[in-house]
Amino acid sequence: MSKVYLTGAGPGDIELLTMKAHRVITEADVIIYDRLANPEILEMAKDGCKFVYVGKEDGRHTLPQDEINEVIYQNALKHNVVVRLKGGDPFVFGRGGEEGAYLKERNVSFEIIPGVTSAISVPAYAGIPVTHRGVAVSFRVVTGHESPNKESSQIPWKNFKTDDTIIFLMGLHNLKKITSKLMEIGKPTHYPCAVISRGTTKDQSVVVGTLADIVKKAKGVPTPALIIVGKVVELREQLQWFKEN
């Protein structure tokens, strides 16, 4: 009987792949993978494994999500072990819930293999803890790229005013909007902010600034990039450990 593994590939550093993910990748008959999954992971596959690329990039999608769902389903009809390899974690803005529901409706067996989410690991590689005693007791993870088809934003900006740490995923192209909204709700213009590009990889780079100047400082930073806002950013001076560009 066939089975689909909705698998988190982690944030980029191949050594952050989980042991379970590694096992199913080596057993896979087909791997359907995203742009953000480290391509070195594919080298773990057995001989004869089929690879299907369904990556998405801002403004350029190989396939829309409904067609990706169908690709997964059709491959499940033909192969015993199907790995849907997704950057980060399948359920953290990874559309894994939609893919799982699609398979469930069609009586296809599936399993979720969580991945190390970039929301926590990328700041860690930049020397920025998302929580820290005396500085931050909580953190919020927010999509920085809502669907353009939405009639109105679902992001509750007003609720962010008292948040200790706010992490925006996939938000680089909306950095100006994000910083403007945060200052509009009352966050100080000098509030610490960082943009981390290609985190956990050899190409990692970090730009540190404030809500008022980070847009200018981060101009030209390559994607994928994560935005982190909060006083924890100031701890980078003490905790930076990863060699960066």
Side-chain angles (χ1 to χ4, degrees), residues 165-216:
T165 304
I166 313 171
I167 301 148
F168 294 90
L169 304 183
M170 306 170 292
L172 187 60
H173 295 296
N174 290 322
L175 181 57
K176 185 174 181 179
K177 175 184 176 181
I178 289 168
T179 55
S180 296
K181 283 283 190 181
L182 291 175
M183 289 186 286
E184 183 182 308
I185 65 169
K187 289 287 188 186
T189 58
H190 61 272
Y191 210 62
C193 181
V195 172
I196 309 165
S197 170
R198 298 178 177 175
T200 80
T201 75
K202 61 182 177 60
D203 298 318
Q204 175 175 304
S205 62
V206 182
V207 177
V208 175
T210 66
L211 290 177
D213 65 17
I214 195 67
V215 173
K216 183 177 181 180

Side-chain angles (χ1 to χ4, degrees), residues 5 7 17-26 111-114:
Y5 295 89
T7 305
L17 190 71
T18 67
M19 293 176 68
K20 191 167 190 177
H22 177 270
R23 176 177 62 79
V24 299
I25 288 165
T26 61
E111 185 173 328
I112 307 298
I113 300 182

Side-chain angles (χ1 to χ4, degrees), residues 138-152:
S138 65
F139 63 93
R140 184 190 295 266
V141 182
V142 188
T143 178
H145 184 74
E146 285 191 290
S147 170
N149 298 323
K150 288 184 179 178
E151 293 183 5
S152 60

Side-chain angles (χ1 to χ4, degrees), residues 2-4 29-33 49-54 63 67-84 102-103 108:
S2 67
K3 191 169 189 178
V4 176
D29 298 311
V30 57
I31 298 176
I32 303 166
Y33 66 102
C49 180
K50 175 184 173 184
F51 301 111
V52 181
Y53 177 67
V54 292
L63 292 174
E67 291 185 30
I68 293 174
N69 296 345
E70 183 65 15
V71 166
I72 299 169
Y73 172 61
Q74 290 298 327
N75 275 278
L77 298 179
K78 302 172 187 175
H79 303 282
N80 289 329
V81 181
V82 178
V83 170
R84 170 66 170 112
Y102 193 86
L103 296 171
V108 175

Side-chain angles (χ1 to χ4, degrees), residues 10-11 87-89 92-93 114-123 139 141 169 200 226:
D89 178 89
V92 182
F93 305 129
V116 177
T117 174
S118 61
I120 298 171
S121 56
V122 167
F139 63 93
V141 182
L169 304 183
T200 80
L226 173 152

